[in-house]
Amino acid sequence: MPTLHRKLLGLLPRIGVRVLELGSGAAVVYRRGERTRVPVGPRADLVLRGTAGAWKDVALGASGARLILDEKAAAADERRFQVAAAAYLCGQHVAALLERCEVNCVFDVGANSGQYGRQLRRLGYRGRIVSFEPTAEAFGKLQKAAEGDAEWWVHRIGLGREDATQSINVGWNTMNSLLQPSDYGKDRYKRFAKSRTEDIEIRRLDGMMDKALAGITDPRPYLKMDTQGYDLEVFAGAGERVAAFVGMQSEVATLRLYEGSPRMAESIAVYEGSGFEITGMYPVSREPATGRVVEFDCVMVRADAVPPSG
């Protein structure tokens, strides 16, 4: 005999309600339009408005993870798709690294309006975040992002090789920099054509660490830098105390956007010389015309700082 579930599904079309059966006693009911089922592995389904079109379920090797994508949309701008996928993978990798290395304080240098800190919280990191952002407009947004989070501390200063007061170029959206744009940078980003400057405080990182780590038993800090060509200056300001960091993340450039900024090989050589080794490289931006990567997020760790597996 038909079950009550089956009888109800049979009655619904008579009153103008449509039914899309998913099998195993499950169904989706709707009033207007069309719905299409895309099976996603053995235990899940994707229900689409309209027809399935170019949506595809792709297994990511033997990881157990699956990628659901609109193949036409992804193929229409393959480079943007690659960068977006890299940003997601970088976030996942950093979150796993923080957990694996038992990180309890993240130094977020070049915090802008708090994008990195918000991402860490979304990904489950609950330790201390100490964010540094020197520009007035971005710092105001950063303060608001950190409101109500007792373990997210913010400082309106920049970090560098020496304590000083300097002028920073602002008005470039998220790309404010202490350096001038290169000819290549000016060609790539029209925003560099107009700028203004703002005087900011610069402090050495080693002079900020005691305050940032206060109250943490057995500190295990992680250093993230995104300072538009100034990361090596920030790193230099850590002095010998850079050895305290169990891992780090830096935006390294293959193409020079700013005058005097280091290329990727130079930056990585300095980091490796201080005991860090690469765990991941993720494209941040690419040239639309050639596909060349402009910058990578480089994630690194001290191998001897990783706790032994359980």
Side-chain angles (χ1 to χ4, degrees):
M1 293 179 60
T3 63
L4 178 60
H5 170 82
R6 175 58 53 198
K7 289 180 179 179
L8 288 173
L9 292 183
L11 288 172
L12 288 174
R14 300 181 187 180
I15 57 173
V17 177
R18 302 181 182 189
V19 176
L20 174 65
E21 295 199 50
L22 303 179
S24 303
V28 172
V29 296
Y30 57 100
R31 292 292 299 269
R32 296 182 179 85
E34 296 294 332
R35 301 292 186 274
T36 306
R37 172 197 177 202
V38 177
V40 182
R43 294 180 303 234
D45 294 282
L46 176 67
V47 176
L48 303 174
R49 293 186 180 92
T51 58
W55 284 88
K56 188 174 181 181
D57 164 33
V58 179
L60 297 182
S63 67
R66 308 188 77 85
L67 178 67
I68 310 299
L69 74 159
D70 182 333
E71 288 188 299
K72 287 184 178 179
D77 195 337
E78 178 269 341
R79 289 165 188 161
R80 178 177 292 184
F81 173 77
Q82 292 284 340
V83 168
Y88 172 80
L89 292 173
C90 182
Q92 295 294 316
H93 174 56
V94 169
L97 183 65
L98 298 184
E99 182 176 3
R100 180 72 183 86
C101 292
E102 300 175 358
V103 169
N104 48 25
C105 184
V106 173
F107 284 70
D108 172 22
V109 185
N112 198 255
S113 60
Q115 302 95 314
Y116 189 79
R118 287 194 297 268
Q119 181 187 47
L120 290 183
R121 292 302 191 225
R122 285 196 303 269
L123 292 171
Y125 173 71
R126 294 293 173 259
R128 183 174 299 171
I129 303 171
V130 183
S131 293
F132 300 88
E133 172 52 48
T135 63
E137 183 178 355
F139 183 77
K141 295 176 181 177
L142 174 63
Q143 277 187 308
K144 184 168 290 188
E147 279 180 355
D149 189 332
E151 282 300 302
W152 188 353
W153 301 1
V154 298
H155 299 281
R156 188 183 166 186
I157 60 172
L159 298 183
R161 186 181 296 268
E162 302 293 344
D163 292 349
T165 299
Q166 294 188 36
S167 293
I168 188 171
N169 295 294
V170 296
W172 296 341
N173 196 1
T174 62
M175 299 177 69
N176 302 326
S177 180
L178 284 153
L179 304 176
Q180 298 299 320
S182 66
D183 289 340
Y184 171 77
K186 292 175 184 177
D187 287 341
R188 176 166 170 77
Y189 291 110
K190 302 306 179 189
R191 69 186 73 172
F192 287 161
K194 295 181 180 179
S195 69
R196 55 187 174 81
T197 61
E198 182 179 313
D199 289 340
I200 62 169
E201 289 184 61
I202 301 290
R203 294 290 179 266
R204 283 179 58 90
L205 176 55
D206 55 10
M208 301 298 299
M209 289 180 65
D210 287 341
K211 182 178 180 180
L213 298 172
I216 298 179
T217 302
D218 186 23
R220 295 183 60 81
Y222 177 88
L223 175 61
K224 167 265 177 182
M225 299 176 290
D226 182 1
T227 59
Q228 301 304 311
Y230 212 69
D231 286 12
L232 278 191
E233 297 298 299
V234 174
F235 193 81
E240 293 183 359
R241 296 197 68 178
V242 77
F245 289 94
V246 301
M248 60 162 288
Q249 180 176 348
S250 174
E251 196 169 82
V252 296
T254 58
L255 299 170
R256 187 174 282 125
L257 293 174
Y258 305 98
E259 288 294 338
S261 62
R263 296 287 290 266
M264 180 174 71
E266 179 185 349
S267 297
I268 291 176
V270 171
Y271 301 146
E272 289 181 334
S274 294
F276 295 97
E277 297 175 283
I278 297 172
T279 62
M281 294 284 285
Y282 303 92
V284 173
S285 56
R286 297 173 69 175
E287 278 190 336
T290 67
R292 292 187 298 175
V293 174
V294 180
E295 295 165 307
F296 284 96
D297 263 330
C298 177
V299 182
M300 310 184 80
V301 71
R302 291 186 185 281
D304 58 4
V306 180
S309 300

